[in-house]
Amino acid sequence: MARAEPEMITAQAPQADNLPPQMANPDGTAPGLYIEQLMGKSLINLRADKGLKARLIPAFGTDLPCLANRMHSVGSRRALWLGPDETLLIADEGDEAALLSALAGALGRNHYAATIVSDAYCVLRLQGGQLRWVLAKGCSVDLHDSVFTAGHCAQSQLAHAAVILAAEPDGVSFLLVCRTSFADYVISWLKDAAIECGYQTSCQRQL
């Protein structure tokens, strides 16, 4: 009888499923990391002079951050500072058309660009008692809770992937935004990095 050839694993094959969706904490307590993939989110890259940001409060519901590496939030909406004239807006997918219309009305003929980048990025919500410890294994940002507090965000590298990290208003969870093409790698890395403290994954939870 011919022996079956082992299945070939390539660099393009999904790797995240090689580890189970959850792994118990060896010490018997709750998992140290919870990984949730947020579905149904609309991401808009907004380029506009910082002098115009105050005009967007009625359109977005909160002022857009003018201080570097800050995130402002209202309800399920998030506005993340990416640069002096660049902001990443996160909203519910169903609000996309109304939000774009509101932005256009608020900015009028001023020079700006609002680009939908939802398909290009994946949004994860991370929480758990060992969240900062796990991320510190692959990220050079100082994530100590006395430094990286609620409302802070930063663009950095997690292992070999470019990511945006943002500390949520609840003070215990983070948003992680990465390119969709790196999502499998990032989730795989997070699982592997959290084996020592246990982890649990899920999806389709809203902000």
Side-chain angles (χ1 to χ4, degrees):
M1 179 181 293
R3 185 172 60 182
E5 293 294 329
E7 183 178 353
M8 183 69 70
I9 297 178
T10 68
Q12 289 74 35
Q15 303 297 310
D17 291 340
N18 290 338
L19 287 170
Q22 61 184 33
M23 186 169 289
N25 193 325
D27 67 10
T29 60
L33 179 67
Y34 292 87
I35 307 166
E36 302 170 301
Q37 184 171 355
L38 299 179
M39 312 300 287
K41 308 309 294 184
S42 178
L43 282 70
I44 298 173
N45 182 279
L46 178 66
R47 304 296 297 264
D49 184 86
K50 64 179 182 180
L52 299 173
K53 291 184 176 181
R55 299 176 59 175
L56 297 177
I57 297 176
F60 193 68
T62 184
D63 56 326
L64 274 56
C66 291
L67 292 178
N69 299 316
R70 292 295 189 273
M71 175 183 72
H72 290 179
S73 61
V74 57
S76 62
R77 293 184 173 184
R78 304 287 184 270
L80 286 70
W81 188 96
L82 299 184
D85 67 345
E86 184 176 9
T87 306
L88 179 65
L89 306 179
I90 303 177
D92 292 332
E93 192 173 47
D95 294 342
E96 184 178 284
L99 177 55
L100 288 173
S101 178
L103 291 175
L107 294 174
R109 296 186 178 182
N110 290 285
H111 181 67
Y112 78 98
T115 306
I116 300 172
V117 294
S118 308
D119 292 339
Y121 289 93
C122 169
V123 183
L124 303 177
R125 182 173 186 172
L126 309 175
Q127 54 187 339
Q130 299 300 319
L131 164 61
R132 295 172 189 263
W133 176 76
V134 171
L135 290 174
K137 289 185 174 186
C139 181
S140 61
V141 174
D142 186 351
L143 298 175
H144 193 274
D145 56 13
S146 66
V147 177
F148 200 77
T149 58
H152 281 70
C153 68
Q155 300 177 77
S156 186
Q157 297 282 123
L158 183 67
H160 298 291
V163 300
I164 303 170
L165 292 173
E168 283 278 75
D170 59 17
V172 297
S173 59
F174 282 12
L175 292 184
L176 185 155
V177 182
C178 67
R179 289 193 174 275
T180 303
S181 56
F182 275 86
D184 177 73
Y185 168 80
V186 169
I187 294 173
S188 298
W189 186 92
L190 289 168
K191 285 182 174 182
D192 184 73
I195 286 178
E196 296 167 86
C197 62
Y199 64 82
Q200 183 172 318
T201 62
S202 61
C203 65
Q204 298 186 357
R205 177 172 174 177
Q206 298 297 313
L207 286 173

